[in-house]
Each structure stands twice: as C-alpha cells, then as structure tokens.
Amino acid sequence: MASLLQPERVIYLVRGDKKKQIRAPLSQLYFCRYCSELRSLDCLENMPSAEAKLKKNRCANCFDCPCCMHTLSTRATNIPAPLPDDPTKTTMKKAYYLACGFCRWTSRDVGMADKSVASGGWQEPENPHTQRINKLIEYYQQLAQRERQERDRKKLARRRQCMPLAFSEKYGLGTRLQRQRPGAPISTLAGLSLKEGEDQKEISIDPAQALDEVEPLPEDCYTRPINLPEVTTLRQRLLQPDFQPPGASQLHPKHKHLLMKRSLRCRKCEHNLSKPEFNPTSIKFKIQLVAVSYIPEVRIMSIPNLRHMKESQVLLTLTNPVENLTHVTLVACEEGDPEDLNNTAKKEGDTDVLVSFKIRHDFRNLAAPIRPNDEVAEAPTEAIWLTHHVELSLGPLVL
C-alpha cells in the first residue's frame, strides 16, 4: 500500500480549544470514549515529576554518547597492574570504561581514566565559570523576589486603603506587633517585611568587563588542512553549551536525560486517555485509548499518474479496528466549508494534490459507566454517529 509506510499522506483533523485545529495521522491521535472525539497531544495535559526536577532531569548512572547521542554501556577489560608487594611484577586487573555500541566511541578517546568498579562514578568536567553563573542566578532570584513582594504590597495597599495596617510596612507597625505578641498572626503585609534583628543578605555582582586584548588565532589556522571527522558538529556543540568543544577529542559524555511516563487526560471530561504502569521496567499500559483502536483508518492502496484536467481513479482501503460491524460513509465537503481544501485557493508552486472529505461511521461505546440497576445495564448500547475530516496527499501532477 502506498500509505502503509507513509502515514503522513492521510491525516485527520482535530478541533482543539479556542478554535485551534490540528492535523495529524491517525496513529498519533487518541480517542476519548466519553466525549467520542479525537484528541491530540497538544490537547492534553501532563503532570511533571517533582523528583525529576530536583535531579535536574538527569540520570545519575546513565550517560549519553557525545557523538551520536545514544546510551553508553559499561565495558570490562583486563589491564596489567603492578603488585603492591613487588612493583616489578604485574598482575591482570579488571577495569571498566564507557563505550558506544553504535559509533564505537569510548571514554578512552578523550583520556578519561578507567574505573575499578562497574558502577563507575565518572564525573563530568567542571565549567570554569560555574561560580560566576551561580552568583548571577542567586542575584536575579533575589531581584525577582523583591519585585514580587513589591507587587503583593501594592495589591494589598489598594485593597485596604482605609486600614492602618496598610501602612504597617512604612511605619514598622508589623514588627512592633510581632514583638509585643509573639506567635500571634499579623497581616499579610507585615509578613512581607523582615523580622526585627534579621538582616537580609545582600548579593552583589561584579559587572562584566570587556577585554582589550583577545587571544590570537594559531599561525597555521588558515593553512592547516581540515579533517572533518575531528571537527564537532553544531548539534554536538549545542548539547554541551557550557564548553562547546570545537574538536572531537574534547567531547565528554553527559548524564542522560530522564524519560518520563505521562498520564494523559482529556481536557473536556478529564478522563484518562493514556496511563502507563508505575513500574519503570514495564512497557505496558493500564489505559491506552489510541485512535487506531476505535476509528476506521483510511489508507491509500494505489495512486495512478495524476494529470491536469484528466480523471483519475485512486483506490482507498478502510480498516475496521473494532470487533462489531461498522457502517462507514464517505461524504464530500459541503460548499463553503472552511475545512475543505478543494475550495481554498492554492498557492503558486504547490506540487502535491490534496483531497479532503468527511468520513461518517457508527460507534458503540462498550465502556459504559456504572448503572444503578442490572436491568438497565443489560440493555444494548446505542450506536452514535461520528464524523471526521480526512485529508489525502496524492503526490504531484505528472507533466
């Protein structure tokens, strides 16, 4: 089939919030059985993990290859080591290093020392400007906190213009009340000020200074022949922004980013569309409502040579993913439909022929909610008719 390995040829239209329209293949969409509508990843919400945020979204044990970004594996080897009793004699000792099974990069290529245990403990090179960066972060965090307190103070002053507590910060009334009645609650405005006797640590930074002299380039910079395998790519440099190594011999492995298991919900009814198992070693899902399991899939079987102003016949196939019989109807778009690509003006230079239509099919929701009595539960599920907008990309015209 022409579209079996090219799913982008047949795309479905998803209507999101705020009149947002998203077009994607059926294999990349979800189907909410409660709303009976298609959902995409842009229409879903995910909850981030607080623990991953504390670890800066990095794994403490795994590393990425700095050349091809695949996961590095630990390799064992035997190296000769001198005996502690007799340095003149050697014995074989196990050593461990990092190696990439895809591009054959190893930690020995950049001069990283082997480790005596498999757990490793390889350390990333330290940025020489770490202290400067941390100080800048602390300074701007303090500045943002002051601005936030000033905004809260102004909001509270506008709400309580007739109350004396609105001027507690100016005249020190909040700290006086706190000293007279320790433990007693005071206003939010007084809580914004510092306690009596407590000094806020002022963080000051030295302004950056421009250098008059710049390190000169090597003498053979323009005459030395370039060996492309020894030069890092733009992606390799951007993955290490703190160093941006120009040469492949300066690439060091980085801790691997954590992969998160997300539970996706429908924004309209807030039911789960995808819920994986909690066990990180399991790839199964407790709930996985993918659209290809409920919506008939349209595929392009064969495409003839398309010529201008000549009639052509395109063969389509429909796949029924459910067990019961499904009735499907293909309907042309109505006149004036803004979603119809045949009525929209095509730009000059367009090479692909685009065809759009509506697909209507019946759907029986077998996941019925809990009913109050068993008599109603035994009643057959009524079928509802769903309509989806489908667009086909048939390729360019033949001249």
Side-chain angles (χ1 to χ4, degrees):
M1 294 184 181
S3 64
L4 185 60
L5 300 179
Q6 296 175 332
E8 67 278 357
R9 281 183 171 269
V10 181
I11 58 178
Y12 287 68
L13 178 66
V14 181
R15 299 170 184 86
D17 298 339
K18 300 179 181 180
K19 299 182 180 180
K20 184 179 180 181
Q21 295 182 353
I22 301 171
R23 290 172 168 84
L26 190 65
S27 58
Q28 300 178 7
L29 300 177
Y30 291 86
F31 179 74
C32 182
R33 296 183 297 182
Y34 302 91
C35 301
S36 299
E37 294 181 2
L38 290 174
R39 292 285 182 258
S40 68
L41 289 177
D42 293 342
C43 300
L44 305 174
E45 59 175 333
N46 60 306
M47 301 299 294
S49 174
E51 183 180 359
K53 186 177 180 180
L54 292 176
K55 296 181 179 179
K56 299 182 179 180
N57 297 326
R58 294 277 185 175
C59 179
N61 301 323
C62 302
F63 291 87
D64 281 334
C65 177
C67 290
C68 64
M69 294 74 188
H70 284 74
T71 305
L72 296 175
S73 58
T74 306
R75 300 289 179 85
T77 183
N78 293 325
I79 58 174
L83 291 174
D85 300 337
D86 190 359
T88 58
K89 298 181 180 180
T90 59
T91 182
M92 302 307 293
K93 182 182 178 182
K94 267 197 172 184
Y96 299 90
Y97 63 96
L98 297 175
C100 178
F102 187 80
C103 67
R104 305 301 179 184
W105 181 91
T106 63
S107 57
R108 296 178 173 180
D109 297 344
V110 293
M112 295 181 63
D114 298 341
K115 302 296 181 180
S116 58
V117 292
S119 57
W122 288 275
Q123 300 293 333
E124 295 183 1
E126 186 178 357
N127 191 347
H129 306 288
T130 302
Q131 295 182 357
R132 172 69 174 177
I133 296 174
N134 293 337
K135 197 170 184 180
L136 289 174
I137 293 175
E138 294 177 359
Y139 173 77
Y140 285 107
Q141 284 179 349
Q142 185 187 55
L143 185 63
Q145 184 180 4
R146 290 180 179 177
E147 294 178 352
R148 183 169 58 252
Q149 291 178 356
E150 188 66 25
R151 287 195 302 266
D152 296 341
R153 188 180 296 108
K154 291 181 179 180
K155 289 180 181 179
L156 191 59
R158 286 195 299 265
R159 294 176 185 175
R160 302 182 179 181
Q161 294 181 358
C162 301
M163 297 182 63
L165 286 178
F167 305 97
S168 59
E169 178 66 23
K170 182 177 181 180
Y171 300 105
L173 181 60
T175 56
R176 196 176 309 128
L177 290 174
Q178 190 176 13
R179 183 175 64 252
Q180 294 175 0
R181 295 184 301 166
I186 57 176
S187 66
T188 308
L189 181 61
L192 295 176
S193 62
L194 294 174
K195 296 181 180 179
E196 188 175 5
E198 180 181 353
D199 296 332
Q200 186 178 9
K201 183 179 179 181
E202 184 72 21
I203 300 177
S204 60
I205 57 174
D206 299 330
Q209 298 179 359
L211 300 177
D212 297 334
E213 297 181 0
V214 183
E215 183 179 355
L217 295 175
E219 297 180 357
D220 58 346
C221 178
Y222 299 101
T223 59
R224 182 178 65 244
I226 299 177
N227 189 5
L228 291 181
E230 296 180 357
V231 181
T232 56
T233 62
L234 181 61
R235 183 186 180 190
Q236 292 173 350
R237 299 186 187 187
L238 294 180
L239 286 176
Q240 299 185 10
D242 46 354
F243 293 100
Q244 298 189 12
S249 59
Q250 303 172 1
L251 290 173
H252 286 76
K254 300 284 291 185
H255 284 279
K256 190 175 184 62
H257 277 285
L258 295 178
L259 301 179
M260 185 183 300
K261 286 190 173 183
R262 300 185 298 176
S263 295
L264 306 178
R265 290 179 179 270
C266 175
R267 287 199 176 211
K268 186 175 181 181
C269 63
E270 296 186 356
H271 282 87
N272 281 321
L273 300 181
S274 176
K275 186 177 181 180
E277 291 187 355
F278 185 76
N279 187 3
T281 60
S282 176
I283 60 174
K284 297 181 180 180
F285 287 83
K286 294 182 179 179
I287 301 175
Q288 184 74 338
L289 304 180
V290 290
V292 292
S293 301
Y294 300 93
I295 307 300
E297 183 180 5
V298 181
R299 293 180 181 177
I300 304 175
M301 185 174 183
S302 63
I303 303 177
N305 293 331
L306 304 177
R307 301 183 183 276
H308 184 62
M309 300 299 294
K310 288 188 178 181
E311 188 174 324
S312 302
Q313 185 178 9
V314 179
L315 298 181
L316 303 178
T317 60
L318 288 172
T319 304
N320 182 18
V322 297
E323 298 179 356
N324 54 299
L325 185 63
T326 303
H327 302 83
V328 182
T329 305
L330 302 183
V331 184
C333 296
E334 297 179 358
E335 185 177 356
D337 189 354
E339 300 172 354
D340 185 11
L341 296 179
N342 299 326
N343 295 337
T344 57
K346 298 182 64 177
K347 299 179 182 179
E348 296 183 1
D350 286 346
T351 57
D352 291 345
V353 178
L354 303 178
V355 178
S356 60
F357 56 89
K358 306 287 185 179
I359 174 174
R360 299 183 69 249
H361 66 94
D362 56 346
F363 172 73
R364 297 181 183 272
N365 191 1
L366 301 179
I370 301 176
R371 303 183 184 273
N373 49 43
D374 297 337
E375 296 179 359
V376 182
E378 294 178 357
T381 306
E382 297 182 358
I384 59 176
W385 285 88
L386 305 178
T387 304
H388 308 290
H389 182 83
V390 183
E391 300 174 0
L392 305 179
S393 177
L394 303 180
L397 293 173
V398 178
L399 301 180

